[in-house]
Amino acid sequence: MSVQQDEYERVTSPTAVSSLLNTMIEGGGVSLCLASADARPEPIVLMEQYAGKTLVMDLSSVDHLLNRLQQGESFFLRGHSQGKVVRTPFLSLTETRHAGGRFLCCSDYPATLEVLQRRESFRAELRLGMVVPASICGESGDGVYGELRDLSQDGCQIELPLTASGVLAEADLPLTLAFTFPDGTYFEVQGVPRHQKTDPERHLLRVGFRFTNCASEQERQIWYFVCEIEREAARYKKEAQDDRQPSPLFEQSGKRAAGSEHVGRRDIRRYATPMARRLVKIAAYLDAQLLLLQQGSDIDSRQLSRNADRLLLLHEEDREALLFATRCLSPEPLLVRHGIAVAVHLLDLVGANMPRDVRKAIVASGLVHDLGKALVPQILFKAPHFEATHRQAMSEHVALLLDRLQHCQWLSAAVAQAVIGGINERLDGSGYPDGLTGNDINELAKASAVVDVVEAMRRDRADRPAKTAQQIYRHLLSHPHQFDPRWTKRYIEHFKPLPVGSLAYFSSEQMAWVVRLDEQGAPAEVALTRQAEAPMRETLGNTLRGDVLERLGKPTREVAVST
């Protein structure tokens, strides 16, 4: 039953109230508003509901308001649920507990909710000092860079150089808008320009965009960003600087959270090659997806599809440049680097003559196959010895990830099961999650296992350093009971004894990265370096092509470098 009140509809059904609150709990992005007329919305975390009894919320971010709330001041909650703006009637705190540095509070339970069917736009403006780089990109792939100035549920305003007017004028389809927040969170959405305002003195253009084709997950993220921008902007008020908690989106510390890796704002100029700089967009998507998984979200179907298509196009354009670029992503989190490398090398190994939709499914599965590890206890990755209990806990990441892929209906279930579900199986039954043996393991899973182990062994781990290609090949060949010898031999024949992306010493006593190979598997293009470090723009010297062996001599040994 719904009762009309102003522009809101009042929902009185207990089942509907519970459903809306549950979506707000799962989605995040809830604000607390005091009853006073001059109060600003303050982002909080709605944690649990006990229907008809109480709401449980984390008010650590608004500890400066706790005295007023504990003294009985009324408040209401506002959030975004099922594509609607939802607000509660006035509530009061009934209990407050301080545990582990956090303030967990209970309130009375709302008997009704008010729902605005027509989405209400709360425009959050970024104050001076709040810098969020933004870019717009059309179908051609050319981008224009600027800064986000304000954000609402419906659209945004971006400050761009005057040269952007040409890109905007040529746009027939929605543009891709991308934002990178100071904590490294990356977000993409499609938008169409609505209005422009020129600032000739500063040679700038302020462009208003309306968001289009937003998925529900993107709407949830935008709501969260709006709330966090409001929260951070409130800190810039002189009287509030000392008592308001900073928004995590605007923290530029070295870590996003305890136990997680953090990239921070990406300076793509540091990446070693043009192809590596183009891979950064895919890396940023995976990094953002990692964070969203930890916050309870599923894999974003549309974004995964788009980035799988990107990787296919890059491979079709220049496979060797792409293979080398996978070694040039050292600033990215380990799970991101590993996922991209597995996707590229698995595609290159098995993708020939396969239909495009199968190749796309292989790439997509390879990209995300390890992201479920963000959902298991992170202490597992720091253990000096891998015990049976560690192994059992680790194996759960496969099922956790497959469960988060339920909305990716375009993704072949058979391919996803083979790559994600089978990449850790072993011929002798010692693998996981199902302990399959021999012929029970899919051929694509057998190939994936070889690719996965090669990429894992090329990088440092807590219990061992990175290995060279020759050391990895010897390991695979000496374990035919675990890894299919046919796929091991195919891998070596395909990628060669000294593969693209290897760092080698030559008989001239010079060191260089192998960038391309000739038909016999000898280096045809190399990038000189003096440092046994992952390749970045500042560590690479001149590039030699064609007569590499005449100028440098024969490769004498490979150097193991964690990339």
Side-chain angles (χ1 to χ4, degrees):
M1 175 182 178
S2 298
V3 181
Q4 188 74 26
Q5 178 179 331
D6 299 329
E7 297 183 30
Y8 283 84
E9 290 182 352
R10 180 174 296 167
V11 177
T12 60
S13 163
T15 302
V17 168
S18 176
S19 176
L20 288 166
L21 287 172
N22 195 51
T23 307
M24 291 166 66
I25 291 168
E26 293 175 354
V30 176
S31 296
L32 179 148
C33 308
L34 293 177
S36 55
D38 60 343
R40 292 175 57 89
E42 301 278 1
I44 59 125
V45 179
L46 184 59
M47 298 180 66
E48 296 180 73
Q49 63 164 318
Y50 295 91
K53 297 180 180 179
T54 189
L55 294 179
V56 182
M57 59 201 83
D58 184 341
L59 301 187
S60 305
S61 62
V62 293
D63 54 1
H64 58 285
L65 299 179
L66 277 175
N67 284 337
R68 296 170 63 180
L69 293 170
Q70 288 173 322
Q71 291 171 9
E73 187 162 347
S74 297
F75 63 92
F76 66 90
L77 302 181
R78 187 182 71 192
H80 191 242
S81 176
Q82 302 173 10
K84 312 175 183 89
V85 171
V86 178
R87 70 185 183 194
T88 69
F90 285 115
L91 307 172
S92 300
L93 288 191
T94 57
E95 182 184 353
T96 301
R97 289 187 291 114
H98 187 211
R102 308 197 70 78
F103 291 96
L104 302 181
C105 304
C106 297
S107 76
D108 42 342
Y109 191 86
T112 64
L113 291 176
E114 294 175 341
V115 177
L116 185 67
Q117 300 290 345
R118 178 183 56 79
R119 191 185 303 116
E120 191 176 25
S121 291
F122 304 102
R123 186 168 297 276
E125 295 187 11
L126 285 85
R127 291 175 175 260
L128 186 66
M130 294 170 61
V131 180
V132 176
S135 66
I136 61 172
C137 184
E139 287 294 312
S140 66
D142 296 329
V144 180
Y145 299 89
E147 287 187 14
L148 181 66
R149 301 314 307 163
D150 65 45
L151 181 68
S152 74
Q153 195 69 41
D154 297 323
C156 66
Q157 189 174 111
I158 299 177
E159 196 169 72
L160 297 162
L162 283 177
T163 52
S165 57
V167 175
L168 298 173
E170 296 172 2
D172 296 325
L173 298 172
L175 298 165
T176 298
L177 313 180
F179 312 124
T180 305
F181 290 87
D183 77 326
T185 297
Y186 179 87
F187 177 73
E188 278 189 8
V189 66
Q190 288 188 309
V192 293
R194 293 283 301 274
H195 54 79
Q196 302 178 26
K197 184 177 180 181
T198 303
D199 185 344
E201 293 184 2
R202 298 170 62 208
H203 301 283
L204 293 173
L205 191 66
R206 280 207 174 191
V207 184
F209 291 89
R210 177 175 57 83
F211 297 145
T212 62
N213 306 319
C214 278
S216 59
E217 176 62 25
Q218 287 177 301
E219 291 184 342
R220 187 197 68 78
Q221 289 175 263
I222 294 168
W223 179 270
Y224 170 73
F225 296 148
V226 168
C227 291
E228 290 301 314
I229 290 171
E230 285 186 338
R231 170 178 170 178
E232 184 68 12
R235 295 181 63 239
Y236 282 72
K237 287 186 173 182
K238 187 174 182 180
E239 66 275 12
Q241 287 182 347
D242 296 331
D243 57 5
R244 290 179 186 263
Q245 295 291 327
S247 163
L249 272 182
F250 289 86
E251 289 183 333
Q252 298 188 37
S253 60
K255 293 184 178 180
R256 176 181 291 150
S260 67
E261 294 187 69
H262 176 71
V263 179
R265 190 177 301 161
R266 291 167 172 82
D267 182 359
I268 64 171
R269 295 169 298 180
R270 293 189 60 226
Y271 290 76
T273 68
M275 184 66 80
R277 292 191 281 276
R278 294 166 73 183
L279 268 185
V280 169
K281 184 174 288 188
I282 298 173
Y285 152 69
L286 290 175
D287 193 17
Q289 185 66 75
L290 271 172
L291 179 62
L292 292 171
L293 285 172
Q294 291 170 328
Q295 294 175 343
S297 299
D298 289 340
I299 295 289
D300 186 319
S301 174
R302 188 171 65 174
Q303 292 288 350
L304 179 58
S305 174
R306 180 181 299 171
N307 283 282
D309 282 331
R310 278 185 183 140
L311 203 56
L312 282 177
L313 291 173
L314 295 178
H315 185 264
E316 292 165 3
E317 179 182 318
D318 191 336
R319 59 171 290 272
E320 285 190 307
L322 182 60
L323 290 170
F324 182 65
T326 66
R327 306 296 180 216
C328 304
L329 300 176
S330 58
E332 305 297 334
L334 175 59
L335 292 180
V336 170
R337 303 198 310 267
H338 181 67
I340 291 174
V342 167
V344 170
H345 286 78
L346 185 59
L347 170 67
D348 202 68
L349 178 63
V350 306
N353 302 318
M354 283 188 173
R356 192 179 191 281
D357 61 332
V358 176
R359 288 186 288 121
K360 178 177 178 179
I362 289 171
V363 165
S365 299
L367 284 174
V368 303
H369 81 277
D370 253 0
L371 296 192
K373 288 180 178 177
L375 305 174
V376 300
Q378 298 303 292
I379 194 172
L380 295 175
F381 302 100
K382 300 177 182 179
H385 304 289
F386 210 61
E387 309 292 346
T389 53
H390 296 156
R391 178 184 177 82
Q392 176 59 37
M394 178 69 77
S395 69
E396 295 175 2
H397 78 85
V398 178
L400 290 171
L401 179 66
L402 288 171
D403 185 58
R404 301 293 182 92
L405 282 166
Q406 56 186 319
H407 297 302
C408 297
Q409 297 180 359
W410 60 267
L411 178 62
S412 163
V415 171
Q417 184 59 46
V419 177
I420 300 170
I423 201 168
N424 297 295
E425 300 288 359
R426 300 292 180 260
L427 297 180
D428 60 0
S430 63
Y432 66 83
D434 298 318
L436 301 178
T437 61
N439 293 331
D440 291 333
I441 303 177
N442 181 284
E443 284 297 310
L444 179 55
K446 294 175 183 177
S448 301
V450 171
V451 172
D452 183 59
V453 167
V454 173
E455 293 309 315
M457 293 185 71
R458 291 191 76 95
R459 296 179 175 86
D460 290 336
R461 206 170 67 179
D463 59 343
R464 55 141 183 84
K467 305 294 184 183
T468 65
Q470 288 299 313
Q471 291 171 326
I472 298 169
Y473 293 164
R474 282 196 293 270
H475 172 80
L476 290 169
L477 292 169
S478 65
H479 288 74
H481 55 291
Q482 292 186 323
F483 305 100
D484 191 321
R486 295 171 303 141
W487 281 109
T488 298
K489 291 175 182 177
R490 287 182 195 176
Y491 186 99
I492 298 171
E493 290 171 358
H494 184 80
F495 291 109
K496 310 303 180 186
L498 191 66
V500 169
S502 302
L503 179 61
Y505 266 111
F506 291 79
S507 56
S508 61
E509 298 187 355
Q510 295 189 74
M511 192 164 51
W513 288 94
V514 177
V515 179
R516 296 183 188 275
L517 300 172
D518 62 20
E519 293 182 357
Q520 287 71 45
E525 180 179 328
V526 299
L528 297 175
T529 184
R530 295 181 179 179
Q531 299 169 266
E533 299 177 2
M536 296 296 289
R537 191 169 186 174
E538 62 267 22
T539 66
L540 294 186
N542 293 332
T543 298
L544 303 182
R545 299 181 180 89
D547 55 351
V548 171
L549 299 185
E550 293 180 15
R551 299 174 67 177
L552 298 183
K554 293 183 178 180
T556 57
R557 64 184 175 91
E558 185 185 351
V559 182
V561 176
S562 184
T563 57

